[in-house]
PDB file of all heavy atoms in Angstrom:
ATOM      1  N   VAL V 816      -4.566  -7.899 -16.762  1.00  0.00           N
ATOM      2  CA  VAL V 816      -4.222  -9.032 -17.619  1.00  0.00           C
ATOM      3  C   VAL V 816      -2.769  -8.884 -18.055  1.00  0.00           C
ATOM      4  O   VAL V 816      -2.414  -7.913 -18.725  1.00  0.00           O
ATOM      5  CB  VAL V 816      -5.140  -9.094 -18.865  1.00  0.00           C
ATOM      6  CG1 VAL V 816      -4.838 -10.349 -19.673  1.00  0.00           C
ATOM      7  CG2 VAL V 816      -6.608  -9.040 -18.456  1.00  0.00           C
ATOM      8  N   ILE V 817      -1.935  -9.838 -17.648  1.00  0.00           N
ATOM      9  CA  ILE V 817      -0.516  -9.812 -18.010  1.00  0.00           C
ATOM     10  C   ILE V 817      -0.310 -10.671 -19.254  1.00  0.00           C
ATOM     11  O   ILE V 817      -0.670 -11.844 -19.269  1.00  0.00           O
ATOM     12  CB  ILE V 817       0.376 -10.354 -16.877  1.00  0.00           C
ATOM     13  CG1 ILE V 817      -0.052  -9.798 -15.510  1.00  0.00           C
ATOM     14  CG2 ILE V 817       1.845 -10.060 -17.159  1.00  0.00           C
ATOM     15  CD1 ILE V 817       0.095  -8.340 -15.319  1.00  0.00           C
ATOM     16  N   GLY V 818       0.273 -10.053 -20.283  1.00  0.00           N
ATOM     17  CA  GLY V 818       0.545 -10.780 -21.520  1.00  0.00           C
ATOM     18  C   GLY V 818      -0.051 -10.112 -22.742  1.00  0.00           C
ATOM     19  O   GLY V 818      -0.045 -10.683 -23.832  1.00  0.00           O
ATOM     20  N   VAL V 819      -0.586  -8.904 -22.574  1.00  0.00           N
ATOM     21  CA  VAL V 819      -1.173  -8.164 -23.694  1.00  0.00           C
ATOM     22  C   VAL V 819      -0.385  -6.873 -23.883  1.00  0.00           C
ATOM     23  O   VAL V 819      -0.319  -6.044 -22.987  1.00  0.00           O
ATOM     24  CB  VAL V 819      -2.669  -7.855 -23.465  1.00  0.00           C
ATOM     25  CG1 VAL V 819      -3.236  -7.063 -24.636  1.00  0.00           C
ATOM     26  CG2 VAL V 819      -3.457  -9.141 -23.255  1.00  0.00           C
ATOM     27  N   LYS V 820       0.214  -6.724 -25.048  1.00  0.00           N
ATOM     28  CA  LYS V 820       1.105  -5.592 -25.326  1.00  0.00           C
ATOM     29  C   LYS V 820       0.367  -4.482 -26.073  1.00  0.00           C
ATOM     30  O   LYS V 820      -0.432  -4.741 -26.970  1.00  0.00           O
ATOM     31  CB  LYS V 820       2.282  -6.078 -26.176  1.00  0.00           C
ATOM     32  CG  LYS V 820       3.321  -5.035 -26.465  1.00  0.00           C
ATOM     33  CD  LYS V 820       4.459  -5.631 -27.267  1.00  0.00           C
ATOM     34  CE  LYS V 820       5.527  -4.580 -27.540  1.00  0.00           C
ATOM     35  NZ  LYS V 820       6.669  -5.157 -28.272  1.00  0.00           N
ATOM     36  N   GLU V 821       0.663  -3.241 -25.666  1.00  0.00           N
ATOM     37  CA  GLU V 821       0.111  -2.077 -26.371  1.00  0.00           C
ATOM     38  C   GLU V 821       0.972  -1.810 -27.598  1.00  0.00           C
ATOM     39  O   GLU V 821       2.191  -1.744 -27.509  1.00  0.00           O
ATOM     40  CB  GLU V 821       0.092  -0.864 -25.442  1.00  0.00           C
ATOM     41  CG  GLU V 821      -0.745   0.269 -25.953  1.00  0.00           C
ATOM     42  CD  GLU V 821      -1.075   1.306 -24.882  1.00  0.00           C
ATOM     43  OE1 GLU V 821      -0.704   1.111 -23.708  1.00  0.00           O
ATOM     44  OE2 GLU V 821      -1.700   2.305 -25.252  1.00  0.00           O
ATOM     45  N   THR V 822       0.322  -1.651 -28.762  1.00  0.00           N
ATOM     46  CA  THR V 822       1.063  -1.506 -30.018  1.00  0.00           C
ATOM     47  C   THR V 822       1.294  -0.055 -30.431  1.00  0.00           C
ATOM     48  O   THR V 822       2.211   0.240 -31.180  1.00  0.00           O
ATOM     49  CB  THR V 822       0.307  -2.189 -31.175  1.00  0.00           C
ATOM     50  OG1 THR V 822      -0.943  -1.504 -31.379  1.00  0.00           O
ATOM     51  CG2 THR V 822       0.058  -3.652 -30.881  1.00  0.00           C
ATOM     52  N   GLY V 823       0.426   0.854 -29.972  1.00  0.00           N
ATOM     53  CA  GLY V 823       0.504   2.242 -30.430  1.00  0.00           C
ATOM     54  C   GLY V 823      -0.246   2.460 -31.728  1.00  0.00           C
ATOM     55  O   GLY V 823      -0.371   3.578 -32.217  1.00  0.00           O
ATOM     56  N   ASN V 824      -0.776   1.402 -32.303  1.00  0.00           N
ATOM     57  CA  ASN V 824      -1.557   1.475 -33.545  1.00  0.00           C
ATOM     58  C   ASN V 824      -3.019   1.745 -33.194  1.00  0.00           C
ATOM     59  O   ASN V 824      -3.633   1.002 -32.436  1.00  0.00           O
ATOM     60  CB  ASN V 824      -1.428   0.140 -34.297  1.00  0.00           C
ATOM     61  CG  ASN V 824      -2.132   0.138 -35.630  1.00  0.00           C
ATOM     62  OD1 ASN V 824      -3.111   0.848 -35.828  1.00  0.00           O
ATOM     63  ND2 ASN V 824      -1.634  -0.684 -36.537  1.00  0.00           N
ATOM     64  N   VAL V 825      -3.589   2.808 -33.768  1.00  0.00           N
ATOM     65  CA  VAL V 825      -4.967   3.188 -33.450  1.00  0.00           C
ATOM     66  C   VAL V 825      -5.959   2.111 -33.877  1.00  0.00           C
ATOM     67  O   VAL V 825      -6.934   1.839 -33.166  1.00  0.00           O
ATOM     68  CB  VAL V 825      -5.324   4.543 -34.140  1.00  0.00           C
ATOM     69  CG1 VAL V 825      -6.764   4.921 -33.885  1.00  0.00           C
ATOM     70  CG2 VAL V 825      -4.387   5.630 -33.680  1.00  0.00           C
ATOM     71  N   ASN V 826      -5.728   1.484 -35.009  1.00  0.00           N
ATOM     72  CA  ASN V 826      -6.645   0.457 -35.516  1.00  0.00           C
ATOM     73  C   ASN V 826      -6.513  -0.873 -34.785  1.00  0.00           C
ATOM     74  O   ASN V 826      -7.455  -1.649 -34.725  1.00  0.00           O
ATOM     75  CB  ASN V 826      -6.419   0.230 -37.018  1.00  0.00           C
ATOM     76  CG  ASN V 826      -6.704   1.484 -37.824  1.00  0.00           C
ATOM     77  OD1 ASN V 826      -7.598   2.242 -37.479  1.00  0.00           O
ATOM     78  ND2 ASN V 826      -5.928   1.692 -38.869  1.00  0.00           N
ATOM     79  N   ASN V 827      -5.350  -1.161 -34.268  1.00  0.00           N
ATOM     80  CA  ASN V 827      -5.080  -2.421 -33.578  1.00  0.00           C
ATOM     81  C   ASN V 827      -4.241  -2.126 -32.337  1.00  0.00           C
ATOM     82  O   ASN V 827      -3.051  -2.410 -32.310  1.00  0.00           O
ATOM     83  CB  ASN V 827      -4.323  -3.344 -34.546  1.00  0.00           C
ATOM     84  CG  ASN V 827      -4.635  -4.790 -34.308  1.00  0.00           C
ATOM     85  OD1 ASN V 827      -5.486  -5.107 -33.498  1.00  0.00           O
ATOM     86  ND2 ASN V 827      -3.939  -5.660 -35.001  1.00  0.00           N
ATOM     87  N   PRO V 828      -4.854  -1.535 -31.295  1.00  0.00           N
ATOM     88  CA  PRO V 828      -4.067  -1.019 -30.172  1.00  0.00           C
ATOM     89  C   PRO V 828      -3.376  -2.065 -29.288  1.00  0.00           C
ATOM     90  O   PRO V 828      -2.411  -1.756 -28.613  1.00  0.00           O
ATOM     91  CB  PRO V 828      -5.077  -0.220 -29.354  1.00  0.00           C
ATOM     92  CG  PRO V 828      -6.412  -0.732 -29.757  1.00  0.00           C
ATOM     93  CD  PRO V 828      -6.282  -1.270 -31.141  1.00  0.00           C
ATOM     94  N   PHE V 829      -3.860  -3.308 -29.294  1.00  0.00           N
ATOM     95  CA  PHE V 829      -3.294  -4.336 -28.424  1.00  0.00           C
ATOM     96  C   PHE V 829      -3.040  -5.628 -29.182  1.00  0.00           C
ATOM     97  O   PHE V 829      -3.758  -5.961 -30.113  1.00  0.00           O
ATOM     98  CB  PHE V 829      -4.223  -4.628 -27.236  1.00  0.00           C
ATOM     99  CG  PHE V 829      -4.458  -3.444 -26.355  1.00  0.00           C
ATOM    100  CD1 PHE V 829      -5.629  -2.708 -26.462  1.00  0.00           C
ATOM    101  CD2 PHE V 829      -3.508  -3.040 -25.430  1.00  0.00           C
ATOM    102  CE1 PHE V 829      -5.856  -1.606 -25.657  1.00  0.00           C
ATOM    103  CE2 PHE V 829      -3.724  -1.940 -24.626  1.00  0.00           C
ATOM    104  CZ  PHE V 829      -4.894  -1.221 -24.744  1.00  0.00           C
ATOM    105  N   ILE V 830      -2.020  -6.358 -28.726  1.00  0.00           N
ATOM    106  CA  ILE V 830      -1.731  -7.680 -29.294  1.00  0.00           C
ATOM    107  C   ILE V 830      -1.515  -8.658 -28.135  1.00  0.00           C
ATOM    108  O   ILE V 830      -0.800  -8.367 -27.176  1.00  0.00           O
ATOM    109  CB  ILE V 830      -0.507  -7.644 -30.240  1.00  0.00           C
ATOM    110  CG1 ILE V 830      -0.281  -9.017 -30.854  1.00  0.00           C
ATOM    111  CG2 ILE V 830       0.731  -7.146 -29.545  1.00  0.00           C
ATOM    112  CD1 ILE V 830       0.666  -9.010 -32.026  1.00  0.00           C
ATOM    113  N   ALA V 831      -2.196  -9.816 -28.223  1.00  0.00           N
ATOM    114  CA  ALA V 831      -2.130 -10.822 -27.164  1.00  0.00           C
ATOM    115  C   ALA V 831      -0.927 -11.727 -27.396  1.00  0.00           C
ATOM    116  O   ALA V 831      -0.990 -12.661 -28.181  1.00  0.00           O
ATOM    117  CB  ALA V 831      -3.427 -11.630 -27.137  1.00  0.00           C
ATOM    118  N   GLU V 832       0.181 -11.425 -26.720  1.00  0.00           N
ATOM    119  CA  GLU V 832       1.429 -12.183 -26.902  1.00  0.00           C
ATOM    120  C   GLU V 832       1.616 -13.283 -25.863  1.00  0.00           C
ATOM    121  O   GLU V 832       2.371 -14.211 -26.075  1.00  0.00           O
ATOM    122  CB  GLU V 832       2.635 -11.236 -26.826  1.00  0.00           C
ATOM    123  CG  GLU V 832       2.698 -10.220 -27.941  1.00  0.00           C
ATOM    124  CD  GLU V 832       3.957  -9.365 -27.873  1.00  0.00           C
ATOM    125  OE1 GLU V 832       4.474  -9.115 -26.763  1.00  0.00           O
ATOM    126  OE2 GLU V 832       4.414  -8.955 -28.941  1.00  0.00           O
ATOM    127  N   GLY V 833       0.976 -13.145 -24.715  1.00  0.00           N
ATOM    128  CA  GLY V 833       1.145 -14.117 -23.640  1.00  0.00           C
ATOM    129  C   GLY V 833       2.244 -13.685 -22.667  1.00  0.00           C
ATOM    130  O   GLY V 833       3.003 -12.756 -22.936  1.00  0.00           O
ATOM    131  N   ILE V 834       2.298 -14.376 -21.538  1.00  0.00           N
ATOM    132  CA  ILE V 834       3.301 -14.084 -20.508  1.00  0.00           C
ATOM    133  C   ILE V 834       4.385 -15.159 -20.574  1.00  0.00           C
ATOM    134  O   ILE V 834       4.087 -16.333 -20.787  1.00  0.00           O
ATOM    135  CB  ILE V 834       2.656 -14.012 -19.096  1.00  0.00           C
ATOM    136  CG1 ILE V 834       3.685 -13.648 -18.030  1.00  0.00           C
ATOM    137  CG2 ILE V 834       1.924 -15.290 -18.748  1.00  0.00           C
ATOM    138  CD1 ILE V 834       3.091 -13.351 -16.658  1.00  0.00           C
ATOM    139  N   THR V 835       5.636 -14.754 -20.387  1.00  0.00           N
ATOM    140  CA  THR V 835       6.737 -15.722 -20.428  1.00  0.00           C
ATOM    141  C   THR V 835       6.743 -16.566 -19.156  1.00  0.00           C
ATOM    142  O   THR V 835       6.240 -16.142 -18.108  1.00  0.00           O
ATOM    143  CB  THR V 835       8.098 -15.020 -20.575  1.00  0.00           C
ATOM    144  OG1 THR V 835       8.366 -14.285 -19.376  1.00  0.00           O
ATOM    145  CG2 THR V 835       8.129 -14.104 -21.791  1.00  0.00           C
ATOM    146  N   ILE V 836       7.343 -17.738 -19.250  1.00  0.00           N
ATOM    147  CA  ILE V 836       7.451 -18.636 -18.090  1.00  0.00           C
ATOM    148  C   ILE V 836       8.246 -17.961 -16.977  1.00  0.00           C
ATOM    149  O   ILE V 836       7.893 -18.055 -15.803  1.00  0.00           O
ATOM    150  CB  ILE V 836       8.119 -19.972 -18.494  1.00  0.00           C
ATOM    151  CG1 ILE V 836       7.227 -20.729 -19.475  1.00  0.00           C
ATOM    152  CG2 ILE V 836       8.420 -20.834 -17.283  1.00  0.00           C
ATOM    153  CD1 ILE V 836       7.889 -21.910 -20.146  1.00  0.00           C
ATOM    154  N   GLU V 837       9.321 -17.253 -17.357  1.00  0.00           N
ATOM    155  CA  GLU V 837      10.173 -16.575 -16.355  1.00  0.00           C
ATOM    156  C   GLU V 837       9.382 -15.510 -15.603  1.00  0.00           C
ATOM    157  O   GLU V 837       9.487 -15.392 -14.384  1.00  0.00           O
ATOM    158  CB  GLU V 837      11.388 -15.932 -17.036  1.00  0.00           C
ATOM    159  CG  GLU V 837      12.355 -16.906 -17.696  1.00  0.00           C
ATOM    160  CD  GLU V 837      11.869 -17.420 -19.050  1.00  0.00           C
ATOM    161  OE1 GLU V 837      11.009 -16.764 -19.687  1.00  0.00           O
ATOM    162  OE2 GLU V 837      12.344 -18.502 -19.461  1.00  0.00           O
ATOM    163  N   HIS V 838       8.598 -14.728 -16.316  1.00  0.00           N
ATOM    164  CA  HIS V 838       7.796 -13.684 -15.665  1.00  0.00           C
ATOM    165  C   HIS V 838       6.692 -14.296 -14.810  1.00  0.00           C
ATOM    166  O   HIS V 838       6.431 -13.826 -13.699  1.00  0.00           O
ATOM    167  CB  HIS V 838       7.216 -12.735 -16.707  1.00  0.00           C
ATOM    168  CG  HIS V 838       8.238 -11.855 -17.354  1.00  0.00           C
ATOM    169  ND1 HIS V 838       8.009 -11.164 -18.508  1.00  0.00           N
ATOM    170  CD2 HIS V 838       9.514 -11.547 -16.999  1.00  0.00           C
ATOM    171  CE1 HIS V 838       9.084 -10.465 -18.842  1.00  0.00           C
ATOM    172  NE2 HIS V 838      10.018 -10.694 -17.937  1.00  0.00           N
ATOM    173  N   MET V 839       6.044 -15.338 -15.325  1.00  0.00           N
ATOM    174  CA  MET V 839       4.960 -15.994 -14.582  1.00  0.00           C
ATOM    175  C   MET V 839       5.463 -16.479 -13.216  1.00  0.00           C
ATOM    176  O   MET V 839       4.749 -16.365 -12.209  1.00  0.00           O
ATOM    177  CB  MET V 839       4.414 -17.182 -15.380  1.00  0.00           C
ATOM    178  CG  MET V 839       3.273 -17.911 -14.705  1.00  0.00           C
ATOM    179  SD  MET V 839       1.710 -17.078 -14.882  1.00  0.00           S
ATOM    180  CE  MET V 839       1.243 -17.639 -16.513  1.00  0.00           C
ATOM    181  N   ALA V 840       6.672 -16.968 -13.157  1.00  0.00           N
ATOM    182  CA  ALA V 840       7.237 -17.515 -11.910  1.00  0.00           C
ATOM    183  C   ALA V 840       7.385 -16.456 -10.818  1.00  0.00           C
ATOM    184  O   ALA V 840       7.490 -16.799  -9.639  1.00  0.00           O
ATOM    185  CB  ALA V 840       8.587 -18.166 -12.197  1.00  0.00           C
ATOM    186  N   THR V 841       7.378 -15.175 -11.178  1.00  0.00           N
ATOM    187  CA  THR V 841       7.567 -14.114 -10.173  1.00  0.00           C
ATOM    188  C   THR V 841       6.259 -13.737  -9.462  1.00  0.00           C
ATOM    189  O   THR V 841       6.287 -13.003  -8.478  1.00  0.00           O
ATOM    190  CB  THR V 841       8.164 -12.844 -10.815  1.00  0.00           C
ATOM    191  OG1 THR V 841       7.216 -12.280 -11.740  1.00  0.00           O
ATOM    192  CG2 THR V 841       9.473 -13.139 -11.521  1.00  0.00           C
ATOM    193  N   TYR V 842       5.134 -14.243  -9.956  1.00  0.00           N
ATOM    194  CA  TYR V 842       3.834 -13.891  -9.361  1.00  0.00           C
ATOM    195  C   TYR V 842       3.450 -14.934  -8.319  1.00  0.00           C
ATOM    196  O   TYR V 842       2.815 -15.937  -8.617  1.00  0.00           O
ATOM    197  CB  TYR V 842       2.763 -13.772 -10.445  1.00  0.00           C
ATOM    198  CG  TYR V 842       2.972 -12.580 -11.337  1.00  0.00           C
ATOM    199  CD1 TYR V 842       3.846 -12.644 -12.422  1.00  0.00           C
ATOM    200  CD2 TYR V 842       2.328 -11.374 -11.085  1.00  0.00           C
ATOM    201  CE1 TYR V 842       4.061 -11.541 -13.241  1.00  0.00           C
ATOM    202  CE2 TYR V 842       2.544 -10.265 -11.893  1.00  0.00           C
ATOM    203  CZ  TYR V 842       3.416 -10.367 -12.965  1.00  0.00           C
ATOM    204  OH  TYR V 842       3.630  -9.271 -13.767  1.00  0.00           O
ATOM    205  N   ASN V 843       3.857 -14.680  -7.089  1.00  0.00           N
ATOM    206  CA  ASN V 843       3.571 -15.564  -5.962  1.00  0.00           C
ATOM    207  C   ASN V 843       2.523 -14.876  -5.090  1.00  0.00           C
ATOM    208  O   ASN V 843       2.759 -13.784  -4.568  1.00  0.00           O
ATOM    209  CB  ASN V 843       4.856 -15.824  -5.170  1.00  0.00           C
ATOM    210  CG  ASN V 843       4.620 -16.679  -3.945  1.00  0.00           C
ATOM    211  OD1 ASN V 843       3.924 -16.278  -3.013  1.00  0.00           O
ATOM    212  ND2 ASN V 843       5.219 -17.856  -3.944  1.00  0.00           N
ATOM    213  N   TYR V 844       1.360 -15.513  -4.935  1.00  0.00           N
ATOM    214  CA  TYR V 844       0.234 -14.884  -4.240  1.00  0.00           C
ATOM    215  C   TYR V 844       0.610 -14.367  -2.848  1.00  0.00           C
ATOM    216  O   TYR V 844       0.298 -13.227  -2.499  1.00  0.00           O
ATOM    217  CB  TYR V 844      -0.942 -15.866  -4.139  1.00  0.00           C
ATOM    218  CG  TYR V 844      -2.104 -15.306  -3.365  1.00  0.00           C
ATOM    219  CD1 TYR V 844      -3.019 -14.456  -3.974  1.00  0.00           C
ATOM    220  CD2 TYR V 844      -2.273 -15.611  -2.016  1.00  0.00           C
ATOM    221  CE1 TYR V 844      -4.075 -13.928  -3.258  1.00  0.00           C
ATOM    222  CE2 TYR V 844      -3.328 -15.085  -1.294  1.00  0.00           C
ATOM    223  CZ  TYR V 844      -4.228 -14.237  -1.920  1.00  0.00           C
ATOM    224  OH  TYR V 844      -5.262 -13.706  -1.192  1.00  0.00           O
ATOM    225  N   ASP V 845       1.265 -15.202  -2.041  1.00  0.00           N
ATOM    226  CA  ASP V 845       1.578 -14.813  -0.662  1.00  0.00           C
ATOM    227  C   ASP V 845       2.533 -13.614  -0.617  1.00  0.00           C
ATOM    228  O   ASP V 845       2.346 -12.693   0.184  1.00  0.00           O
ATOM    229  CB  ASP V 845       2.181 -15.991   0.109  1.00  0.00           C
ATOM    230  CG  ASP V 845       1.155 -17.095   0.351  1.00  0.00           C
ATOM    231  OD1 ASP V 845      -0.042 -16.778   0.483  1.00  0.00           O
ATOM    232  OD2 ASP V 845       1.550 -18.274   0.393  1.00  0.00           O
ATOM    233  N   ILE V 846       3.538 -13.625  -1.475  1.00  0.00           N
ATOM    234  CA  ILE V 846       4.486 -12.504  -1.518  1.00  0.00           C
ATOM    235  C   ILE V 846       3.772 -11.237  -1.973  1.00  0.00           C
ATOM    236  O   ILE V 846       3.947 -10.158  -1.395  1.00  0.00           O
ATOM    237  CB  ILE V 846       5.677 -12.834  -2.443  1.00  0.00           C
ATOM    238  CG1 ILE V 846       6.536 -13.929  -1.805  1.00  0.00           C
ATOM    239  CG2 ILE V 846       6.514 -11.585  -2.733  1.00  0.00           C
ATOM    240  CD1 ILE V 846       7.612 -14.504  -2.716  1.00  0.00           C
ATOM    241  N   MET V 847       2.940 -11.354  -2.995  1.00  0.00           N
ATOM    242  CA  MET V 847       2.193 -10.199  -3.501  1.00  0.00           C
ATOM    243  C   MET V 847       1.299  -9.618  -2.413  1.00  0.00           C
ATOM    244  O   MET V 847       1.238  -8.400  -2.222  1.00  0.00           O
ATOM    245  CB  MET V 847       1.360 -10.604  -4.718  1.00  0.00           C
ATOM    246  CG  MET V 847       2.193 -10.972  -5.938  1.00  0.00           C
ATOM    247  SD  MET V 847       1.227 -11.788  -7.241  1.00  0.00           S
ATOM    248  CE  MET V 847       0.188 -10.451  -7.797  1.00  0.00           C
ATOM    249  N   LYS V 848       0.584 -10.484  -1.708  1.00  0.00           N
ATOM    250  CA  LYS V 848      -0.328 -10.039  -0.636  1.00  0.00           C
ATOM    251  C   LYS V 848       0.452  -9.287   0.445  1.00  0.00           C
ATOM    252  O   LYS V 848       0.034  -8.220   0.900  1.00  0.00           O
ATOM    253  CB  LYS V 848      -1.026 -11.266  -0.039  1.00  0.00           C
ATOM    254  CG  LYS V 848      -2.136 -10.938   0.910  1.00  0.00           C
ATOM    255  CD  LYS V 848      -3.459 -11.254   0.279  1.00  0.00           C
ATOM    256  CE  LYS V 848      -4.586 -11.029   1.262  1.00  0.00           C
ATOM    257  NZ  LYS V 848      -5.778 -10.520   0.642  1.00  0.00           N
ATOM    258  N   ASP V 849       1.601  -9.844   0.845  1.00  0.00           N
ATOM    259  CA  ASP V 849       2.436  -9.197   1.865  1.00  0.00           C
ATOM    260  C   ASP V 849       2.963  -7.845   1.394  1.00  0.00           C
ATOM    261  O   ASP V 849       3.074  -6.908   2.188  1.00  0.00           O
ATOM    262  CB  ASP V 849       3.623 -10.093   2.233  1.00  0.00           C
ATOM    263  CG  ASP V 849       3.212 -11.300   3.065  1.00  0.00           C
ATOM    264  OD1 ASP V 849       2.074 -11.313   3.585  1.00  0.00           O
ATOM    265  OD2 ASP V 849       4.021 -12.243   3.180  1.00  0.00           O
ATOM    266  N   GLN V 850       3.296  -7.729   0.117  1.00  0.00           N
ATOM    267  CA  GLN V 850       3.867  -6.488  -0.393  1.00  0.00           C
ATOM    268  C   GLN V 850       2.811  -5.412  -0.649  1.00  0.00           C
ATOM    269  O   GLN V 850       3.105  -4.223  -0.544  1.00  0.00           O
ATOM    270  CB  GLN V 850       4.655  -6.767  -1.678  1.00  0.00           C
ATOM    271  CG  GLN V 850       5.930  -7.543  -1.415  1.00  0.00           C
ATOM    272  CD  GLN V 850       6.714  -7.830  -2.684  1.00  0.00           C
ATOM    273  OE1 GLN V 850       6.254  -7.610  -3.796  1.00  0.00           O
ATOM    274  NE2 GLN V 850       7.935  -8.342  -2.512  1.00  0.00           N
ATOM    275  N   ILE V 851       1.578  -5.799  -0.970  1.00  0.00           N
ATOM    276  CA  ILE V 851       0.490  -4.832  -1.190  1.00  0.00           C
ATOM    277  C   ILE V 851      -0.061  -4.316   0.143  1.00  0.00           C
ATOM    278  O   ILE V 851      -0.449  -3.150   0.260  1.00  0.00           O
ATOM    279  CB  ILE V 851      -0.649  -5.485  -2.026  1.00  0.00           C
ATOM    280  CG1 ILE V 851      -0.197  -5.683  -3.466  1.00  0.00           C
ATOM    281  CG2 ILE V 851      -1.927  -4.656  -1.979  1.00  0.00           C
ATOM    282  CD1 ILE V 851      -0.045  -4.431  -4.290  1.00  0.00           C
ATOM    283  N   ALA V 852      -0.081  -5.175   1.165  1.00  0.00           N
ATOM    284  CA  ALA V 852      -0.708  -4.843   2.451  1.00  0.00           C
ATOM    285  C   ALA V 852      -0.250  -3.515   3.066  1.00  0.00           C
ATOM    286  O   ALA V 852      -1.092  -2.755   3.563  1.00  0.00           O
ATOM    287  CB  ALA V 852      -0.503  -5.989   3.437  1.00  0.00           C
ATOM    288  N   PRO V 853       1.038  -3.161   3.053  1.00  0.00           N
ATOM    289  CA  PRO V 853       1.449  -1.901   3.688  1.00  0.00           C
ATOM    290  C   PRO V 853       0.931  -0.638   2.990  1.00  0.00           C
ATOM    291  O   PRO V 853       1.040   0.459   3.535  1.00  0.00           O
ATOM    292  CB  PRO V 853       2.981  -1.944   3.598  1.00  0.00           C
ATOM    293  CG  PRO V 853       3.338  -3.367   3.388  1.00  0.00           C
ATOM    294  CD  PRO V 853       2.196  -3.959   2.636  1.00  0.00           C
ATOM    295  N   TYR V 854       0.357  -0.785   1.797  1.00  0.00           N
ATOM    296  CA  TYR V 854      -0.131   0.372   1.045  1.00  0.00           C
ATOM    297  C   TYR V 854      -1.637   0.584   1.176  1.00  0.00           C
ATOM    298  O   TYR V 854      -2.143   1.628   0.772  1.00  0.00           O
ATOM    299  CB  TYR V 854       0.192   0.202  -0.453  1.00  0.00           C
ATOM    300  CG  TYR V 854       1.656   0.289  -0.755  1.00  0.00           C
ATOM    301  CD1 TYR V 854       2.443  -0.856  -0.813  1.00  0.00           C
ATOM    302  CD2 TYR V 854       2.272   1.522  -0.981  1.00  0.00           C
ATOM    303  CE1 TYR V 854       3.805  -0.781  -1.089  1.00  0.00           C
ATOM    304  CE2 TYR V 854       3.626   1.600  -1.255  1.00  0.00           C
ATOM    305  CZ  TYR V 854       4.383   0.453  -1.303  1.00  0.00           C
ATOM    306  OH  TYR V 854       5.723   0.528  -1.572  1.00  0.00           O
ATOM    307  N   ALA V 855      -2.363  -0.400   1.694  1.00  0.00           N
ATOM    308  CA  ALA V 855      -3.826  -0.363   1.629  1.00  0.00           C
ATOM    309  C   ALA V 855      -4.491  -0.502   2.991  1.00  0.00           C
ATOM    310  O   ALA V 855      -4.112  -1.345   3.787  1.00  0.00           O
ATOM    311  CB  ALA V 855      -4.313  -1.486   0.716  1.00  0.00           C
ATOM    312  N   ASP V 856      -5.489   0.332   3.216  1.00  0.00           N
ATOM    313  CA  ASP V 856      -6.310   0.221   4.418  1.00  0.00           C
ATOM    314  C   ASP V 856      -7.770   0.427   4.018  1.00  0.00           C
ATOM    315  O   ASP V 856      -8.120   1.486   3.512  1.00  0.00           O
ATOM    316  CB  ASP V 856      -5.913   1.260   5.453  1.00  0.00           C
ATOM    317  CG  ASP V 856      -6.738   1.126   6.732  1.00  0.00           C
ATOM    318  OD1 ASP V 856      -7.142  -0.005   7.064  1.00  0.00           O
ATOM    319  OD2 ASP V 856      -6.996   2.153   7.378  1.00  0.00           O
ATOM    320  N   PRO V 857      -8.635  -0.588   4.215  1.00  0.00           N
ATOM    321  CA  PRO V 857      -8.313  -1.956   4.630  1.00  0.00           C
ATOM    322  C   PRO V 857      -7.595  -2.723   3.514  1.00  0.00           C
ATOM    323  O   PRO V 857      -7.253  -2.125   2.494  1.00  0.00           O
ATOM    324  CB  PRO V 857      -9.682  -2.561   4.938  1.00  0.00           C
ATOM    325  CG  PRO V 857     -10.658  -1.737   4.166  1.00  0.00           C
ATOM    326  CD  PRO V 857     -10.070  -0.372   4.018  1.00  0.00           C
ATOM    327  N   HIS V 858      -7.406  -4.010   3.699  1.00  0.00           N
ATOM    328  CA  HIS V 858      -6.613  -4.819   2.758  1.00  0.00           C
ATOM    329  C   HIS V 858      -7.332  -5.004   1.416  1.00  0.00           C
ATOM    330  O   HIS V 858      -8.546  -4.857   1.320  1.00  0.00           O
ATOM    331  CB  HIS V 858      -6.284  -6.179   3.373  1.00  0.00           C
ATOM    332  CG  HIS V 858      -7.495  -7.029   3.604  1.00  0.00           C
ATOM    333  ND1 HIS V 858      -8.313  -6.868   4.689  1.00  0.00           N
ATOM    334  CD2 HIS V 858      -8.027  -8.027   2.866  1.00  0.00           C
ATOM    335  CE1 HIS V 858      -9.308  -7.731   4.618  1.00  0.00           C
ATOM    336  NE2 HIS V 858      -9.168  -8.451   3.518  1.00  0.00           N
ATOM    337  N   VAL V 859      -6.557  -5.341   0.403  1.00  0.00           N
ATOM    338  CA  VAL V 859      -7.081  -5.603  -0.946  1.00  0.00           C
ATOM    339  C   VAL V 859      -7.212  -7.117  -1.134  1.00  0.00           C
ATOM    340  O   VAL V 859      -6.276  -7.860  -0.844  1.00  0.00           O
ATOM    341  CB  VAL V 859      -6.132  -5.029  -2.026  1.00  0.00           C
ATOM    342  CG1 VAL V 859      -6.608  -5.417  -3.421  1.00  0.00           C
ATOM    343  CG2 VAL V 859      -6.010  -3.514  -1.896  1.00  0.00           C
ATOM    344  N   ASN V 860      -8.358  -7.557  -1.619  1.00  0.00           N
ATOM    345  CA  ASN V 860      -8.576  -8.975  -1.924  1.00  0.00           C
ATOM    346  C   ASN V 860      -8.369  -9.214  -3.415  1.00  0.00           C
ATOM    347  O   ASN V 860      -8.907  -8.467  -4.240  1.00  0.00           O
ATOM    348  CB  ASN V 860     -10.002  -9.401  -1.542  1.00  0.00           C
ATOM    349  CG  ASN V 860     -10.200  -9.412  -0.048  1.00  0.00           C
ATOM    350  OD1 ASN V 860      -9.358  -9.897   0.688  1.00  0.00           O
ATOM    351  ND2 ASN V 860     -11.312  -8.868   0.405  1.00  0.00           N
TER     352      ASN V 860
END
């Protein structure tokens, strides 16, 4: 899950801040699939 920050606080370890538009634009399924493929046998779905 992209958009949840670890706080370091034991009582409240995570805060849901969301993902920025700029960061979201970098997640392209086809590019990700091509870049993961050389590391995995068989492929990851």
